[in-house]
Amino acid sequence: MTEIVNENEVSAARERLATQQAELLNALLGNGPAPAGFDEQRLAVERRALLSKRRGIVRMLGPAVADELGDRFRPLFDAYAVEYPRRAGSRAREDAAAFAEWCRASGELSAKRKARWKFWQSN
């Protein structure tokens, strides 16, 4: 016997799932609270891993920025990442360029250096 699923029930289930996924992404990328049923310590491990990966990609895409910042790169990037969590659909090159501009605006990078990100951006 085949059960007929009520369209309203399916729609409500999809909305609940979308809400739960958004809460999880906010916890991982936006440093939001742990959603119900998730272990805070495990989420903290994942947060650090994702931040480290993001930092490494930005370092790879902007080695001149990382070199100029030296030992300040990591703490500055981490502060930037808290203030500007990664957005869905954003590109790593955009993130790297935004970080460089954030550093420049806060006086951490020399103002005379011009970013060459546009040359590297893909269409």
Side-chain angles (χ1 to χ4, degrees), residues 28-29 44-60 73-74 77-78 81:
L28 290 171
L29 304 177
V45 169
E46 288 300 319
R47 272 187 211 110
R48 285 191 303 272
L50 289 170
L51 176 61
S52 179
K53 180 179 179 181
R54 182 179 174 195
R55 188 186 320 111
I57 290 169
V58 167
R59 179 184 294 275
M60 180 185 68
F73 174 77
R74 182 180 180 141
F77 184 81
D78 291 358

Side-chain angles (χ1 to χ4, degrees), residues 50-93:
L50 289 170
L51 176 61
S52 179
K53 180 179 179 181
R54 182 179 174 195
R55 188 186 320 111
I57 290 169
V58 167
R59 179 184 294 275
M60 180 185 68
L61 291 172
V65 170
D67 289 347
E68 183 175 335
L69 294 173
D71 291 341
R72 297 175 300 141
F73 174 77
R74 182 180 180 141
L76 284 170
F77 184 81
D78 291 358
Y80 161 80
V82 168
E83 192 174 337
Y84 297 98
R86 189 84 190 265
R87 296 180 334 267
S90 66
R91 294 183 173 180
R93 286 181 177 90

Side-chain angles (χ1 to χ4, degrees), residues 15-44:
E15 287 180 27
R16 281 192 307 275
L17 180 59
T19 299
Q20 292 168 337
Q21 288 174 332
E23 289 173 359
L24 179 57
L25 282 174
N26 184 44
L28 290 171
L29 304 177
N31 213 20
F38 284 88
D39 181 276
E40 182 61 47
Q41 289 180 332
R42 288 183 179 186
L43 282 176

Side-chain angles (χ1 to χ4, degrees), residues 78-114:
D78 291 358
Y80 161 80
V82 168
E83 192 174 337
Y84 297 98
R86 189 84 190 265
R87 296 180 334 267
S90 66
R91 294 183 173 180
R93 286 181 177 90
E94 294 167 347
D95 196 28
F99 172 64
E101 288 305 314
W102 181 84
C103 287
R104 197 169 286 107
S106 61
E108 297 293 340
L109 282 177
S110 59
K112 62 184 173 196
R113 169 180 282 151
K114 276 304 205 183

